[in-house]
Amino acid sequence: MPDRAPQPVDRQLPTEESRDLIALVRDVVQGEIAPRAAEEEEAGHFPREVFSVLSEAGLLGLPYDSAHGGGDQPYEVYLQVLEELAAARLTVGLGVSVHTLACHGLAGFGTKEQQAEHLPAMLGGGLLGGYCLSEPSSGSDAASLRTKAVRDGDDWVITGTKAWITHGGVADFYTVMARTGAEGPRGVTAFLVPGDARGLTAAAPEKKMGMKGSPTAQIHFDGVRVPDSRRIGEEGQGFTIALSALDSGRLGIAACAVGVAQAALDEAVAYARERRQFGRPIADFQGLRFLLADMATQIEAGRSLYLAAARLRDAGRPFSRQAAMAKLFCTDAAMKVTTDAVQVLGGYGYTADFPVERYMREAKVLQIVEGTNQIQRVVIARHLAGPESR
Ligand SMILES: Cc1cc2nc3c(=O)[nH]c(=O)nc-3n(C[C@H](O)[C@H](O)[C@H](O)COP(=O)(O)OP(=O)(O)OC[C@H]3O[C@@H](n4cnc5c(N)ncnc54)[C@H](O)[C@@H]3O)c2cc1C
């Protein structure tokens, strides 16, 4: 019999440096993340200390410029790091993805002065970010957001409520989209708001189905004052910035989904080889062998799809359609693979004694965040058939 332990994913990586990076990530996962994941998720404990470790190891700014404290890594490498983190604990993998999303606006659209002042602490100085687009009454229709920023001398005064904010209440900074002009996408401006700004408060975290260690909360802005030097990009450019961040962020969600699915497959294979019924390991039964084969194929296909999109991005080519396809396919695949993993474990799969029920609960949220999978289809169809006529 070959070794029972799951083999690490055999990754295609472009450089020796990136191979070393994956080895470092696996060390951090084994030492700091995997041993406590199940227990802390059950207890709803947010592992802030893990993010400090990741920051110290240079893993919180991987796809950004090293001149500002980033890691200079291409997306094809950064995403595979996310996949490894998410396989160990989605709260951490998705947390790194959201932090990267929160840095995107300043790194891509900020002035040189803003970048020099803020990015080093954001990318490698231990800070953790949040991304504030959604509101209680605007989710998929994000351009109808109502949080307002009103000019007052050299300042802006922000008032309103953001909803569903990952790291809500624990983030050190938030990238916030607020209305500064007319209704619709062109009236939105982006701001970088400190987490301890006066007038900014977080509601109690939502009680979620999964990812219980990741705080998701409403953030209230009650006359929060920020100087104009914290405006990101031009007035009215905020929705463009938000969507640009989401194009890249969706690749992060796709990679996290593949990580969760891979973890579920590894568990299912190990269990199927161990568990005996009718005098044989259940892995002998063709009904289960074909299920496992389909799970593995979905995972490989998803990984290939997100990497193809990442390589387009790394080459400076348009990748928005491919990012939407990767997010859609990988997260649907993760839902199916994790559900099938529960099936492979039978009754035991339905208990908290094995991690597959957690993976199944976690996979569900990935079909919803950063644009539901219906919205991904809307995006893909627009690329194919143009905008809807009304
Ligand atoms: C755990 C978690 C973390 C999150 N983190 C963040 C965060 O950090 N920052 C942030 O800004 N937001 C965050 N979100 C919010 C998330 O992006 C929204 O939940 C998502 O965009 C959907 O919005 P909604 O929940 O208001 O659903 P709705 O927009 O109300 O959608 C309800 C249903 O209608 C469907 N629907 C809506 N419009 C269409 C359409 N045109 N065609 C077809 N179907 C449609 C949707 O697909 C969905 O099935 C988070 C959400 C969760 C659950």
Side-chain angles (χ1 to χ4, degrees):
M1 283 280 270
D3 188 349
R4 217 189 131 264
Q7 297 301 306
V9 174
D10 186 14
R11 300 194 173 281
Q12 282 182 38
L13 292 159
T15 58
E16 192 61 40
E17 186 196 9
S18 56
R19 283 187 280 280
D20 291 346
L21 183 62
I22 291 291
L24 168 72
V25 172
R26 286 178 178 160
D27 282 348
V28 174
V29 162
Q30 288 312 318
E32 309 285 338
I33 302 175
R36 297 193 296 275
E39 196 183 320
E40 290 188 355
E41 280 303 314
E42 201 176 336
H45 173 77
F46 175 63
R48 183 67 179 84
E49 62 290 348
V50 168
F51 289 90
S52 303
V53 170
L54 294 175
S55 180
E56 273 165 37
L59 298 174
L60 277 195
L62 282 180
Y64 294 114
D65 193 343
S66 56
H68 295 125
D72 271 340
Q73 290 302 310
Y75 247 63
E76 71 166 311
V77 173
Y78 157 67
L79 293 179
Q80 296 196 68
V81 169
L82 276 189
E83 192 197 312
E84 296 265 339
L85 293 172
R89 187 168 178 188
L90 184 60
T91 285
V92 176
L94 188 114
V96 173
S97 184
V98 167
H99 171 81
T100 306
L101 186 74
C103 297
H104 183 97
L106 202 75
F109 299 85
T111 63
K112 285 198 166 48
E113 294 73 26
Q114 288 175 319
Q115 292 174 349
E117 183 178 350
H118 300 294
L119 278 180
M122 291 162 65
L123 300 180
L127 300 190
L128 188 64
Y131 174 87
C132 296
L133 178 62
S134 305
E135 299 185 0
S137 52
S138 62
S140 301
D141 183 14
S144 67
L145 64 84
R146 287 197 226 151
T147 294
K148 268 198 172 149
V150 176
R151 188 84 192 226
D152 181 22
D154 285 342
D155 293 343
W156 292 89
V157 179
I158 306 175
T159 305
T161 296
K162 293 292 177 180
W164 307 109
I165 305 308
T166 300
H167 301 156
V170 301
D172 301 297
F173 65 90
Y174 299 95
T175 294
V176 179
M177 270 49 74
R179 187 158 303 286
T180 54
E183 284 186 10
R186 293 203 183 86
V188 176
T189 302
F191 298 91
L192 183 69
V193 180
D196 61 358
R198 183 191 291 238
L200 185 158
T201 52
E206 306 291 346
K207 293 183 176 144
K208 304 196 297 296
M209 177 191 294
M211 249 191 12
K212 296 179 187 214
S214 173
T216 310
Q218 288 195 353
I219 300 286
H220 303 299
F221 295 82
D222 185 7
V224 173
R225 189 171 279 272
V226 290
D228 189 50
S229 60
R230 281 183 170 269
R231 171 173 46 83
I232 304 172
E234 303 298 326
E235 274 180 56
Q237 203 185 5
F239 202 67
T240 304
I241 293 172
L243 290 191
S244 161
L246 285 177
D247 273 345
S248 296
R250 282 167 185 164
L251 290 177
I253 301 300
C256 287
V258 171
V260 172
Q262 182 71 55
L265 174 66
D266 290 347
E267 193 68 28
V269 169
Y271 185 88
R273 295 174 68 187
E274 186 93 351
R275 173 76 172 168
R276 297 177 72 85
Q277 290 293 284
F278 302 99
R280 305 156 72 184
I282 59 170
D284 271 8
F285 302 125
Q286 193 179 62
L288 279 198
R289 296 176 82 81
F290 281 12
L291 195 59
L292 295 172
D294 285 349
M295 290 159 75
T297 305
Q298 293 275 301
I299 291 169
E300 287 292 343
R303 187 175 290 124
S304 300
L305 195 56
Y306 87 62
L307 283 174
R311 287 170 185 144
L312 282 177
R313 187 189 189 282
D314 290 333
R317 306 217 346 234
F319 66 98
S320 173
R321 174 168 60 94
Q322 290 83 354
M325 288 174 166
K327 197 275 180 181
L328 169 63
F329 183 87
C330 294
T331 62
D332 280 357
M335 194 68 247
K336 170 127 183 53
V337 167
T338 55
T339 306
D340 288 346
V342 171
Q343 193 69 18
V344 170
L345 270 73
Y348 295 97
Y350 199 65
T351 71
D353 294 339
F354 290 85
V356 287
E357 62 83 32
R358 167 161 73 87
Y359 299 145
M360 184 176 159
R361 288 184 285 106
E362 289 177 342
K364 185 64 218 172
V365 81
L366 298 173
Q367 295 180 304
I368 296 170
V369 294
E370 297 197 23
T372 65
N373 284 3
Q374 284 75 28
I375 294 303
Q376 304 308 321
R377 289 180 172 92
V378 169
V379 170
I380 296 162
R382 277 185 192 149
H383 280 276
L384 296 171
E388 301 86 334
S389 51
R390 52 162 294 236

